[in-house]
Amino acid sequence: LILKTGSVLLFSFATAVYNMVVKISIFISLKIENVLETFNGQLTGYGPDCVGCIGITTSGYDVRNGNIYYEDYLYGKIRILAADPKFPFGTIIRVTAPNIYNEPIIAVVLDRGGAIKGDKFDLLYENEEVTKPVGRQRNVKFEVLDMVGKIAF
């Protein structure tokens, strides 16, 4: 009798865990595909070693030593963008730039820049040298996925 009860409890626990995983997966799928705003703009690249840069983003994130990614609790390992202040730190943006990347990339706004205003964005690279092929990409598609602005580091 105890073995049967234990098996029932184990089965109930496994079912509850499975249901929770399914719900989380559905939530993540919906969250990633939820586009709040779409627009076209310009994309340039910058490195932590750019003129006037100190390797720490305006939001306080350390990007020295080639640290060009941010680990987001929902979107995983994503790139870092500098954007206009109308995009709060933590804003998640999908960037479609076919001249640079075969697939869209997901990035988070963690920095600002003197020339980064309106529809201009600056994508962080390991250093200034590798940004040269990027140049200034025009007519890049930007999709705002989340503007909650929650960042932790």
Side-chain angles (χ1 to χ4, degrees):
L1 184 64
I2 293 174
L3 185 57
K4 274 189 168 181
T5 304
S7 296
V8 169
L9 287 174
L10 183 58
F11 178 75
S12 295
F13 177 73
T15 302
V17 169
Y18 173 78
N19 289 337
M20 186 171 37
V21 168
V22 168
K23 286 177 185 175
I24 290 171
S25 296
I26 291 169
F27 172 76
I28 289 172
S29 296
L30 291 174
K31 188 77 170 168
I32 290 174
E33 294 308 315
N34 183 31
V35 177
L36 304 175
E37 180 184 357
T38 301
F39 56 92
N40 288 342
Q42 297 179 42
L43 181 70
T44 54
Y46 76 108
D49 58 340
C50 69
V51 175
C53 295
I54 61 169
I56 308 286
T57 67
T58 309
S59 66
Y61 192 69
D62 189 342
V63 295
R64 295 173 288 194
N65 300 319
N67 183 23
I68 64 169
Y69 294 98
Y70 175 78
E71 188 66 40
D72 184 75
Y73 72 97
L74 185 58
Y75 294 92
K77 192 175 185 179
I78 57 179
R79 296 290 296 273
I80 297 171
L81 275 175
D84 186 277
K86 73 178 180 179
F87 298 99
F89 292 136
T91 299
I92 306 291
I93 300 177
R94 180 170 34 218
V95 181
T96 304
N99 292 338
I100 306 172
Y101 298 103
N102 294 330
E103 297 289 326
I105 62 166
I106 307 292
V108 61
V109 174
L110 290 181
D111 209 356
R112 303 287 183 229
I116 306 304
K117 303 288 182 220
D119 68 348
K120 296 177 183 168
F121 293 82
D122 220 356
L123 184 64
L124 181 65
Y125 284 85
E126 292 86 354
N127 57 59
E128 277 295 294
E129 187 63 31
V130 297
T131 67
K132 290 179 181 175
V134 176
R136 179 176 303 279
Q137 300 292 315
R138 290 176 172 78
N139 204 30
V140 173
K141 181 179 176 182
F142 296 94
E143 296 169 287
V144 178
L145 302 179
D146 195 348
M147 286 188 80
V148 174
K150 292 182 180 177
I151 53 174
F153 41 83

